[in-house]
Amino acid sequence: MANVYDAAYNLEKAIRESDDYKNLKQLYENVMKDETSKRLFNEFRETQFQLQQKQMMGEDLTDADVQKAQMQFSLIQQNEAISKLIQAEERMGMILSDLNRVMMKPLEDLYGMPGGFQ
């Protein structure tokens, strides 16, 4: 019998050893070494977190919230180090999404796709 937890830990190790993860880690370290980049990045992450919290609590985002997020996003896009980091985050997110689809395949096979009752 396969131990799924062993497989999960092996997958974690493979992710950490992947070139995509190593690149992401290096880009993150580059941003954290530069005080301006670090400040901009941390402010952007804090704003993202606050907006997500509001949405999860069912609160509407104000125009000021949206403007602040757009302004910060514009600033970080102009910062090459942060821009590269965000691109690497997106790539890693796609990989994790693909892995999640693979892991969910047994349940999809068993139950079928939502909306497509078998």
Side-chain angles (χ1 to χ4, degrees):
M1 178 183 342
N3 184 330
V4 294
Y5 292 102
D6 288 344
Y9 287 115
N10 287 335
L11 180 57
E12 177 200 7
K13 182 179 177 188
I15 291 169
R16 288 181 188 276
E17 292 174 354
S18 72
D19 289 341
D20 289 302
Y21 178 80
K22 288 177 183 177
N23 182 52
L24 176 65
K25 185 177 178 184
Q26 182 60 56
L27 291 170
Y28 177 78
E29 289 170 359
N30 291 347
V31 167
M32 292 298 116
K33 287 177 189 174
D34 178 73
E35 284 304 315
T36 300
S37 297
K38 180 180 178 179
R39 181 182 48 76
L40 283 172
F41 184 70
N42 287 337
E43 287 173 1
F44 178 70
R45 288 184 63 210
E46 180 63 28
T47 297
Q48 279 185 311
F49 178 75
Q50 289 171 355
L51 296 180
Q52 287 172 350
Q53 289 293 105
K54 273 185 144 180
Q55 288 177 321
M56 287 180 3
M57 292 173 31
E59 295 179 31
D60 290 330
L61 300 181
T62 65
D63 289 340
D65 291 333
V66 173
Q67 277 186 327
K68 180 179 178 182
Q70 287 174 341
M71 184 185 73
Q72 285 182 333
F73 189 70
S74 178
L75 284 174
I76 64 169
Q77 282 183 315
Q78 295 172 26
N79 182 299
E80 186 177 353
I82 298 173
S83 185
K84 286 180 180 180
L85 175 59
I86 289 173
Q87 289 173 4
E89 282 179 352
E90 289 172 356
R91 170 83 178 127
M92 199 76 217
M94 287 187 324
I95 290 169
L96 295 175
S97 179
D98 290 345
L99 292 172
N100 189 53
R101 269 194 299 280
V102 170
M103 290 185 295
M104 294 303 295
K105 184 83 172 101
L107 294 178
E108 289 174 10
D109 290 347
L110 180 63
Y111 293 113
M113 292 297 292
F117 295 101
Q118 297 176 345

